[in-house]
Amino acid sequence: GEDVEQSLFLSVREGDSSVINCTYTDSSSTYLYWYKQEPGAGLQLLTYIFSNMDMKQDQRLTVLLNKKDKHLSLRIADTQTGDSAIYFCAESLSGNTPLVFGKGTRLSVIA
Amino acid sequence: GAVVSQHPSRVICKSGTSVKIECRSLDFQATTMFWYRQFPKQSLMLMATSNEGSKATYEQGVEKDKFLINHASLTLSTLTVTSAHPEDSSFYICSARRGASWNEQFFGPGTRLTVL
């Protein structure tokens, strides 16, 4: 079955870069996502990447995909205190299939 | 943008009672809605997929008679937790898919259910 793994915690200093890593097991995964969840709130789609892409950059966010190793990372440049949240990696086999989420990485930003 | 609301945001109920949670797509029609459950420090676990006008498809291990899902219109899906028990306490999140495109799935803010 599909499985998505993430480290549970990450702590960085304000202004530094954060790198959140994710691995997935299903090589058929076509769509890979990063979601942000602030305390007591729902999920906000941050960015996404298709499996035929290696990298995607969107302002402070850079997503890197190593399809061979089934490894996905999210880099947040110039991390701010407002970036403190839980970040979920998710994958789906197609646009019509439900998302499979990792357990989430809690990012703490130290001022 | 596309907005999904959930009501209520928080509910506390006594053991044995039933609780209904609403999920609405406010500015788009959702052919498919998903219901997730999130335990503390855990991932979102998909409970069921509901398509408007048809029966929901439940994931393995989710009791259909316990978690009743109704998707009566293109903008509303409801999850009813019947005869709730303390172990049903959780954060329930819905999402709504606008079209066939992969990224058109929008999440509600979640409902915190506490069963005493």
Side-chain angles (χ1 to χ4, degrees):
Chain A
E2 304 153 53
D3 194 21
V4 178
E5 296 287 337
Q6 300 178 240
S7 53
L8 295 182
F9 301 99
L10 177 66
S11 182
V12 299
R13 292 194 178 278
E14 191 175 18
D16 288 350
S17 292
S18 308
V19 179
I20 303 171
N21 295 301
C22 167
T23 57
Y24 58 98
T25 56
D26 196 330
S27 57
S28 302
S29 297
T30 306
Y31 305 91
L32 296 139
Y33 315 79
W34 284 104
Y35 283 87
K36 177 182 181 183
Q37 185 182 34
E38 299 190 24
L43 273 69
Q44 172 196 356
L45 177 64
L46 281 181
T47 187
Y48 62 91
I49 192 167
F50 295 116
S51 61
N52 61 356
M53 299 165 66
D54 297 324
M55 186 187 88
K56 180 178 180 182
Q57 188 159 1
D58 184 1
Q59 299 183 337
R60 292 191 297 124
L61 304 178
T62 303
V63 178
L64 294 177
L65 174 61
N66 181 327
K67 196 175 179 184
K68 174 176 169 288
D69 294 338
K70 294 179 220 160
H71 181 267
L72 183 73
S73 68
L74 173 69
R75 178 176 180 270
I76 305 173
D78 187 25
T79 311
Q80 302 298 307
T81 54
D83 295 324
S84 293
I86 300 176
Y87 291 81
F88 289 93
C89 171
E91 59 91 16
S92 68
L93 299 181
S94 75
N96 294 326
T97 56
L99 302 176
V100 176
F101 287 87
K103 289 187 176 181
T105 300
R106 184 178 295 275
L107 173 65
S108 298
V109 182
I110 306 165
Chain B
V3 180
V4 176
S5 70
Q6 281 184 242
H7 178 80
S9 57
R10 288 179 181 270
V11 57
I12 300 172
C13 68
K14 293 182 179 179
S15 187
T17 60
S18 294
V19 175
K20 180 186 283 188
I21 302 170
E22 293 185 349
C23 177
R24 291 182 186 272
S25 54
L26 297 185
D27 50 2
F28 67 98
Q29 292 184 329
T31 52
T32 304
M33 288 184 170
F34 303 95
W35 286 95
Y36 295 86
R37 184 173 178 177
Q38 185 181 27
F39 292 101
K41 299 181 182 178
Q42 296 287 324
S43 180
L44 279 74
M45 301 301 296
L46 179 66
M47 297 174 67
T49 303
S50 78
N51 292 296
E52 185 267 337
S54 61
K55 289 183 179 180
T57 303
Y58 289 81
E59 295 298 301
Q60 193 172 5
V62 178
E63 297 177 59
K64 300 179 184 181
D65 297 330
K66 174 78 171 172
F67 299 99
L68 301 179
I69 291 171
N70 184 286
H71 192 161
S73 78
L74 286 171
T75 59
L76 174 64
S77 176
T78 60
L79 167 68
T80 302
V81 183
T82 62
S83 186
H85 290 285
E87 57 264 31
D88 298 325
S89 298
S90 193
F91 195 52
Y92 292 87
I93 301 177
C94 75
S95 70
R97 190 156 67 90
R98 178 163 60 185
S101 298
W102 64 274
N103 65 337
E104 292 196 317
Q105 186 178 154
F106 303 94
F107 284 80
T111 296
R112 169 85 52 200
L113 170 62
T114 303
V115 185
L116 303 177

